[in-house]
Amino acid sequence: MNPQVDAFITAARQWRPEFTALRELLLKTPLIEELKWRQPCYTFEGSNVIILQGFKACCAMMFTKGALLKDAKGLLHKPGENTQAARRFEFTSVAEIAKLKTTISAYLKEAIEIEKAGLEVEFKKEPEPVPEELRAKFDASPVFQRAFDALTPGRQRAYILHFSSAKQSSTRTARIEKCTPDILKGRGLNDR
């Protein structure tokens, strides 16, 4: 048991009983309990396997390679429409967790086996199309393009999706300008 996770659960204003119930299941596995990104994270040989998350409407147990799980019962949800790897259980009560205890344990076992086997999610090979407004910014500012190219592929993709989702060119341009300082500092869209 990690004291940082103890502190996280003690400080939780919402979902404390649910986090406690999920933690009890996780501590029965060979996963190592850590606190990463201010969230309880469970790792196997240095690889992230599970992250516990709290939201307004639910708490979640997210499998970082959930796309590789069989999920025959269709219980896992994609965290976002553009998510490729992660999948999560979503809960609103301890009763739901208790009802699915055996199933959750089976999914945990499968996730650990995936890590032991060294399996990786095959990500979409073709990158998202770069909007014209971003290309124009690259042409106008080589410093900006170098900073953007230095970001991790995931951060680049998040920005491209954010910029591309705007319907109007003026909105895409405004989003690019608003994000420019963070990109120049090497920060991702959600790193604030």
Side-chain angles (χ1 to χ4, degrees):
M1 292 176 61
N2 186 311
Q4 292 178 312
V5 175
D6 290 336
F8 170 88
I9 292 174
T10 300
R13 292 186 184 149
Q14 193 177 11
W15 311 118
R16 187 179 306 147
E18 290 79 10
F19 285 141
T20 301
L22 292 171
R23 185 185 196 196
E24 287 174 12
L25 293 172
L26 286 157
L27 291 175
K28 293 177 182 176
T29 70
L31 298 174
I32 305 297
E33 184 176 66
E34 301 179 40
L35 193 72
K36 294 184 177 184
W37 311 286
R38 293 177 287 188
Q39 303 290 317
C41 181
Y42 297 82
T43 64
F44 183 80
E45 295 180 359
S47 294
N48 301 328
V49 179
I50 302 289
I51 299 172
L52 295 184
Q53 304 169 305
F55 304 100
K56 287 181 184 178
C58 67
C59 71
M61 174 187 278
M62 186 177 76
F63 293 82
T64 59
K65 294 181 182 177
L68 298 177
L69 295 171
K70 291 181 184 108
D71 192 27
K73 297 180 180 184
L75 299 172
L76 298 178
H77 304 271
K78 285 175 79 170
E81 66 180 77
N82 297 307
T83 302
Q84 294 186 49
R87 300 291 185 274
R88 68 183 182 210
F89 278 118
E90 296 176 354
F91 304 102
T92 57
S93 70
V94 173
E96 282 181 272
I97 296 167
K99 182 179 172 185
L100 291 172
K101 185 177 177 180
T102 304
T103 302
I104 296 168
S105 295
Y107 279 55
L108 289 171
K109 184 177 179 183
E110 184 182 355
I112 293 166
E113 292 304 316
I114 286 168
E115 284 303 320
K116 284 181 181 177
L119 301 178
E120 296 292 334
V121 174
E122 189 172 320
F123 290 100
K124 200 171 17 171
K125 300 256 190 271
E126 300 204 12
E128 303 300 326
V130 176
E132 286 303 314
E133 297 79 4
L134 185 57
R135 289 189 192 282
K137 179 74 173 179
F138 291 158
D139 292 342
S141 175
V143 171
F144 175 81
Q145 182 169 4
R146 282 194 299 276
F148 189 87
D149 291 343
L151 295 172
T152 63
R155 287 183 171 138
Q156 289 177 15
R157 184 170 184 263
Y159 277 120
I160 290 171
L161 289 169
H162 175 62
F163 301 151
S164 297
S165 67
K167 293 179 182 171
Q168 296 183 5
S169 178
S170 60
T171 306
R172 288 189 292 273
T173 300
R175 287 181 180 184
I176 292 166
E177 291 307 318
K178 183 178 179 184
C179 294
T180 294
D182 286 333
I183 292 169
L184 291 172
K185 291 177 184 173
R187 285 189 249 170
L189 184 62
N190 301 310
D191 288 350
R192 295 180 187 175

